[in-house]
Amino acid sequence: MGRNLFRKQTVMKRLKTFALLTGLFCLFTFPLYAEELNEENQLAEEPGLENEELPPLQEETEEETENECLESETPETNQVSLYPLIEAYKDRPEVEAWRKYYLSNEKRVKLLHDILENAMEYRLYVRKTVQDRQVPGELEYLPVVESGYKTSAKSQSGALGMWQFMENSVYPFLTLNEYVDERLDPWKSTEGGLSKLQDNYKTFEDWLLAIGSYNCGVGAMNKAIRRGESRDFWELCDKGVISRQTKDYVPKLIAIADLAVNYKSYEIRSEE
């Protein structure tokens, strides 16, 4: 019996010691835990990058927003250099023909309006990237021609995504394998599309040829230059050495960009 009493006393001492140590542990660690928990709650309340939106490049009044149709920002006079192709070629008959094509039909104007309005989330990113890379502002409207700014667009020839990359033209601009197809990523395909255009420009040192070769391919454009014995896009068109699709592709882009940027000049207004 004396042994049992001794064992009970020993167990009680150990329990008291354990309780004392546990109390001291909680006393010193709880404030630290509470501080960490408070910091985590503060971080959770901050906006995440996935919800971040690019701000408009220009401030707009409510009245201007109600009257706009194709474009959400109107370039100021000192911003005309952002659109060098419009400035240089808007009076070309080829561009004028496409401009009239759209302006002569309200449904076509509305189609452009809807494409640009629905793609605003992507366009703001494209515009910012275009400006950061210091390339012609008209390139913001290339996805209108290519895909109607649809991220999942697929052509009959197999081109895919907002920037319509073919499988054989993906490398080295995008990743394409059995697990990933960056052609469907609007952000990465924008980087890839603009990189490809800049690569074309390094080859031809002319933006019309660079844009045209985005449509027909660098090889086809080089062949047209050799056959036409010229590096002037319009002259190559007149000589008939460029395909009809590419011949229309470039002036169509310039016309659409002109209508979007200078919509007020053409008395285009949004519908109520």
Side-chain angles (χ1 to χ4, degrees):
M1 184 173 180
R3 290 182 179 178
N4 291 336
L5 178 61
F6 176 77
R7 288 177 180 175
K8 289 181 179 180
Q9 289 176 347
T10 302
V11 171
M12 292 299 295
K13 287 181 180 180
R14 290 178 177 177
L15 289 174
K16 289 180 180 179
T17 301
F18 178 79
L20 177 61
L21 292 175
T22 302
L24 290 173
F25 177 81
C26 293
L27 178 64
F28 287 103
T29 59
F30 182 77
L32 296 175
Y33 173 76
E35 182 178 354
E36 292 177 354
L37 184 61
N38 183 51
E39 290 178 354
E40 290 178 358
N41 289 336
Q42 289 178 352
L43 289 173
E45 293 174 357
E46 294 179 358
L49 292 179
E50 66 273 14
N51 295 323
E52 191 176 53
E53 296 182 2
L54 290 174
L57 298 184
Q58 299 173 349
E59 295 183 0
E60 301 173 338
T61 64
E62 183 176 353
E63 181 179 357
E64 288 174 341
T65 303
E66 291 177 353
N67 291 331
E68 290 171 355
C69 178
L70 297 179
E71 184 53 81
S72 61
E73 293 88 10
T74 304
E76 302 294 341
T77 303
N78 60 0
Q79 291 181 319
V80 68
S81 60
L82 292 176
Y83 303 97
L85 304 183
I86 294 175
E87 182 180 8
Y89 305 114
K90 69 177 182 179
D91 294 328
R92 291 271 325 177
E94 299 90 343
V95 176
E96 175 64 18
W98 278 106
R99 195 162 46 231
K100 287 182 177 179
Y101 172 81
Y102 287 105
L103 290 175
S104 63
N105 189 304
E106 292 184 4
K107 291 184 179 180
R108 292 171 188 154
V109 172
K110 186 179 185 303
L111 175 62
L112 285 179
H113 171 274
D114 291 345
I115 290 173
L116 293 170
E117 185 178 83
N118 295 335
M120 184 57 69
E121 177 185 5
Y122 304 131
R123 288 177 52 216
L124 290 176
Y125 179 78
V126 174
R127 181 181 302 155
K128 180 65 165 53
T129 308
V130 163
Q131 292 185 351
D132 288 346
R133 292 181 178 229
Q134 298 182 342
V135 295
E138 292 86 353
L139 297 184
E140 175 189 340
Y141 304 95
L142 195 61
V144 177
V145 180
E146 284 287 344
S147 64
Y149 257 104
K150 294 179 180 177
T151 59
S152 60
K154 184 175 182 179
S155 70
Q156 294 181 350
S157 58
L160 192 63
M162 200 165 77
W163 291 85
Q164 290 290 280
F165 272 88
M166 296 287 291
E167 287 189 8
N168 60 4
S169 64
V170 167
Y171 182 81
F173 308 107
L174 296 172
T175 298
L176 174 61
N177 54 45
E178 58 181 320
Y179 304 107
V180 178
D181 190 344
E182 290 184 345
R183 295 179 296 174
L184 296 171
D185 186 316
W187 323 114
K188 291 183 179 180
S189 64
T190 292
E191 299 289 348
L194 292 176
S195 293
K196 182 175 176 62
L197 284 159
Q198 287 181 293
D199 197 56
N200 291 352
Y201 181 76
K202 289 179 182 178
T203 299
F204 298 108
E205 298 182 344
D206 179 274
W207 275 111
L208 298 185
L209 295 177
I211 294 169
S213 60
Y214 190 90
N215 175 252
C216 68
V218 172
M221 186 61 73
N222 275 323
K223 182 178 179 180
I225 289 172
R226 290 194 299 270
R227 290 179 58 195
E229 299 181 343
S230 173
R231 299 182 68 86
D232 182 280
F233 176 80
W234 306 113
E235 185 175 346
L236 294 176
C237 291
D238 291 339
K239 290 183 177 180
V241 295
I242 288 182
S243 70
R244 177 60 183 271
Q245 184 183 55
T246 303
K247 181 179 179 181
D248 289 339
Y249 184 83
V250 174
K252 181 191 292 186
L253 168 65
I254 298 173
I256 289 174
D258 184 30
L259 290 172
V261 173
N262 300 308
Y263 67 93
K264 289 184 178 179
S265 300
Y266 301 109
E267 298 183 350
I268 300 175
R269 295 292 183 268
S270 62
E271 297 181 1
E272 295 295 326

